[in-house]
Amino acid sequence: MTLLFDLNSLRPPRSGIGYYTQHLLEGLREQPDVEDVAGWVGSTAYSGTSLTDLMTDQTSLQAAAQFSDGLKATLLRKSRGLPGLYRMRTVVRHHASRALRRDFGRRGYIYHGTNFIASRYNGPMVVTVHDLPHRRHPELHAKVAVDYLDHGLPRTLRHAQTIIADSIYTRNEILEIYGVPEEKVVPIHYSGRRARSGSVFH
């Protein structure tokens, strides 16, 4: 089994989803039936030693991240609050990784999107949905973030073969709000037992 991840969530400053991605990568790489775990930042693919370096060395990760410092980085961060530009940033990232995603798809890698909205992928895909507060309480979230999720999440849920929910509650919300087939949504609770991470891919 060969697995592919979008590694952009590992960028500093690390969020909860970034730590989830890191721990998932660490656990899956220990599984005997996982032949390779790969991923990308920008237009660069990482696997084996290069992935290890990226996961453990923040300097390597900052170097891999486009516009991580300086004026361009400042403008990019501020653009998240402007209508349309938050989505444009995502489009730029998706465009940068298009060729390598196509290559990994041809090679049969299973793509796992850990940050709600997955990049388009011509191959088997798993996605994690952590919660859905933007639907229950949109007034508590930035409008650009709500619009971004409302626009992209339904497509991701349609295309994914398996949807991981962090809890039974989130699983039920996914079924109620988006009407996806019940058999697609698998609740996997956070656990210190990393070995459980790989079960969804079988």
Side-chain angles (χ1 to χ4, degrees):
M1 180 166 52
T2 52
L3 308 174
L4 178 68
F5 289 82
D6 181 342
L7 304 174
N8 282 287
S9 63
L10 298 180
R11 294 168 181 251
R14 185 76 58 82
S15 67
I17 292 175
Y19 285 108
Y20 167 79
T21 303
Q22 170 107 18
H23 296 154
L24 189 60
L25 291 168
E26 291 169 348
L28 288 168
R29 295 177 85 190
E30 295 176 357
Q31 301 307 304
D33 59 342
V34 175
E35 301 169 30
D36 187 34
V37 177
W40 78 86
V41 177
S43 58
T44 303
Y46 296 85
S47 181
T49 302
S50 66
L51 179 57
T52 300
D53 291 343
L54 194 73
M55 291 166 56
T56 58
D57 183 0
Q58 289 295 295
T59 302
S60 297
L61 190 57
Q62 288 174 334
Q66 292 177 327
F67 311 146
S68 59
D69 294 301
L71 178 60
K72 289 182 178 179
T74 301
L75 293 174
L76 191 62
R77 283 191 293 270
K78 289 183 176 180
S79 76
R80 297 176 185 178
L82 299 175
L85 290 184
Y86 186 87
R87 190 179 300 166
M88 185 181 299
R89 182 199 65 165
T90 302
V91 170
V92 169
R93 285 184 177 176
H94 290 182
H95 178 75
S97 63
R98 180 184 300 171
L100 65 86
R101 280 184 282 115
R102 187 180 300 120
D103 178 60
F104 279 111
R106 284 195 297 260
R107 293 158 59 190
Y109 278 67
I110 301 170
Y111 167 40
H112 184 173
T114 60
N115 194 8
F116 291 91
I117 297 177
S119 296
R120 295 183 183 275
Y121 189 66
N122 186 26
M125 184 170 74
V126 176
V127 63
T128 296
V129 176
H130 303 272
D131 48 34
L132 294 171
H134 72 285
R135 291 302 305 268
R136 297 302 190 191
H137 300 286
E139 72 280 3
L140 301 178
H141 303 275
K143 186 177 185 303
V144 289
V146 173
D147 290 346
Y148 170 72
L149 289 168
D150 281 344
H151 178 266
L153 190 54
R155 173 190 59 80
T156 290
L157 298 181
R158 284 195 306 271
H159 291 176
Q161 280 71 45
T162 300
I163 302 164
I164 296 174
D166 292 345
S167 65
I168 296 292
Y169 180 82
T170 298
R171 178 183 185 271
N172 292 338
E173 281 207 314
I174 294 169
L175 296 175
E176 178 185 342
I177 294 172
Y178 294 102
V180 300
E182 289 190 22
E183 62 272 14
K184 284 182 63 169
V185 189
V186 180
I188 300 181
H189 307 288
Y190 291 138
S191 171
R193 295 175 60 196
R194 291 179 181 171
R196 295 179 58 193
S197 314
S199 62
V200 72
F201 295 102
H202 293 293

